[in-house]
Amino acid sequence: MKPREIIPGVLAVGAQDFDRRLFDALIPLPDGTSYNAYLVRGRDKTALIDAVEPAMLHVLRDCLKDVPRVDYVVSNHTEQDHSGGLPWVLERYPEAVLLSSEPAKPMLADHLGLDPARIRTVADGERLELGGKAFRFIYTPWVHWPETMSTYLEEDRILFSCDWFGSHMAQTDLFVDGVDCILAEAKRYYAEIMMPFRKIVQKNLDKIKDLDIRLIAPSHGPIHRDPASIIRAYRDWTDDKPHNSVVIPWVTMHGSTAVLVERLIDALSSRGVTVFPFNMATADIGKLAMSLVDAATLVAAAPTVHVGPHPMVLNAVVLANALRPKVRFASIVGSYGWAGKMADTLKAAMPNLKVEVLPAVICKGLPKPSDLEAIDKLADAIAAKHREAGLF
Ligand code: FEO
């Protein structure tokens, strides 16, 4: 797309990637994504904020073709979807100084082979005058790499936040106006990459709480005109108290585990507990991650393959362990044919989860009435734990 004016002197010069369907060879992108970059023109100096994914560099090149001079290039985040175009930018504008946080400087050299002599680090809170417009750089680490920072444009009260407050969405409109699903999209993105750093995200939210913000311009997805709404959502997602919900990643091979899962869904639901089941044979792991943002309990449900859990469920547990949601309770449900260590393997795969593990329900072959009773007892135990925790 061509450069588009956000406000006078601030242009969107990034790329919309409508066709991309996978990020990091892991994260589904049902709505594509964008690699936003911004050009800020002061009276004296011009600055570019972030570059784009290398595959979309042609869009940035086209947007900058009539921009003869760039004095500063701000790298808010080193990951290549925002920094991949920097080598070209620095070659195109030999006068430009690349500005980054202190931790980012070696990372820019490592990941992109940039000459450290072109990079000037900025301190947390440092100001930079462009003439009639000034940046303030705010270190916001771990959203989601250690070096990440945000850039605040003081006069126009725009926070260029890079990944946080962003969403993987491609669209032609600049702003979130009319995008009903924006909080769901942003939650998905938070869940996928920022949830492991929830406590630090809370600190970053505290750090910007007194900023007078008119617009939040992230580096993925549309620009927020109502900063309070997305900030409030981040407060909720990072809050220590989970919701009264259970996430069940499950798979069945010959139907036994499915019977247990169906019983557990009904039993929990009838006890007032919300359930989010995910058949891992077909599930969107982004939606699984979203449900884990608020869940109080994780129940992994798997049949036994040889001696271990079905790999699709083990994969879901490994993912949950990596994402470190605020779950407080966990259990295992499943089936086996003759023997196995399915439950032990799944429990061992969640060391990062600070959970109380409730008794597992494992059946041999088809579930028997006693197995279904055990499922009901597990539902009783989960509901009681949620009630004790004040979740309902
Ligand atoms: Fe959008 Fe962490 O890069």
Side-chain angles (χ1 to χ4, degrees), residues 243-261:
H243 295 183
N244 174 30
S245 65
V246 175
V247 171
I248 309 177
W250 68 280
V251 151
T252 198
M253 291 163 63
H254 300 291
S256 294
T257 300
V259 170
L260 298 177
V261 168

Side-chain angles (χ1 to χ4, degrees), residues 3 35 46 51 100 117-118 158 181 187 197 204 214 233 235 302 330:
Y35 318 106
T46 296
S100 76
R118 294 290 303 271
I158 302 175
C181 61
K187 183 176 188 178
F197 314 109
N204 287 335
R214 170 186 172 198
R235 283 280 182 202

Side-chain angles (χ1 to χ4, degrees), residues 340-357:
K341 296 184 176 176
M342 181 269 284
D344 291 343
T345 304
L346 287 174
K347 275 184 215 161
M350 51 178 89
N352 293 339
L353 304 185
K354 307 302 176 204
V355 289
E356 177 183 346
V357 179

Side-chain angles (χ1 to χ4, degrees), residues 93-346:
Y93 299 104
E95 71 283 1
V97 176
L98 179 59
L99 304 173
S100 76
S101 70
E102 288 180 31
K105 184 171 181 176
M107 294 175 73
L108 287 164
D110 288 342
H111 289 285
L112 296 156
L114 296 179
D115 178 1
R118 294 290 303 271
I119 305 170
R120 188 175 108 200
T121 60
V122 293
D124 187 17
E126 185 172 329
R127 290 182 79 256
L128 179 76
E129 275 290 344
L130 303 177
K133 292 186 188 293
F135 286 148
R136 195 189 321 165
F137 302 104
I138 303 167
Y139 281 24
T140 46
W142 295 106
V143 286
H144 60 119
W145 281 13
E147 90 302 0
T148 45
M149 68 175 188
S150 302
T151 298
Y152 179 62
L153 183 57
E154 293 184 337
E155 289 71 15
D156 299 306
R157 298 179 288 130
I158 302 175
L159 184 70
F160 298 97
S161 59
C162 204
D163 276 335
W164 72 321
F165 305 125
S167 49
H168 277 311
M169 284 186 74
Q171 65 168 45
T172 56
D173 291 349
L174 271 177
F175 295 94
V176 298
D177 310 353
V179 183
D180 295 335
C181 61
I182 188 62
L183 290 183
E185 296 278 6
K187 183 176 188 178
R188 173 190 274 264
Y189 194 42
Y190 162 80
E192 290 165 341
I193 67 166
M194 283 166 264
M195 184 158 56
F197 314 109
R198 183 172 63 86
K199 291 285 187 185
I200 305 175
V201 177
Q202 286 176 344
K203 288 183 184 164
N204 287 335
L205 290 170
D206 289 342
K207 201 165 179 179
I208 64 163
K209 76 177 173 15
D210 295 326
L211 272 188
D212 182 6
I213 302 171
R214 170 186 172 198
L215 299 174
I216 292 180
S219 290
H220 296 290
I223 296 169
H224 299 275
R225 277 195 212 272
D226 178 12
S229 169
I230 185 71
I231 290 172
R232 195 164 49 241
Y234 262 69
R235 283 280 182 202
D236 180 42
W237 302 333
T238 56
D239 186 76
D240 292 335
K241 191 170 179 179
H243 295 183
N244 174 30
S245 65
V246 175
V247 171
I248 309 177
W250 68 280
V251 151
T252 198
M253 291 163 63
H254 300 291
S256 294
T257 300
V259 170
L260 298 177
V261 168
E262 196 173 320
R263 179 76 168 216
L264 184 59
I265 292 169
D266 283 345
L268 286 168
S269 181
S270 66
R271 286 160 177 77
V273 178
T274 303
V275 187
F276 296 102
F278 292 92
N279 184 338
M280 297 312 299
T282 54
D284 172 345
I285 61 168
K287 289 202 167 178
L288 172 69
M290 282 172 76
S291 295
L292 285 168
V293 168
D294 306 310
T297 299
L298 171 68
V299 178
T304 300
V305 177
H306 302 307
V307 295
H310 191 289
M312 304 292 265
V313 176
L314 179 59
N315 187 45
V317 171
V318 168
L319 183 67
N321 184 64
L323 294 177
R324 297 171 182 252
K326 53 187 152 186
V327 286
R328 296 186 184 178
F329 312 101
S331 186
I332 313 294
V333 163
S335 56
Y336 66 98
W338 51 94
K341 296 184 176 176
M342 181 269 284
D344 291 343
T345 304
L346 287 174

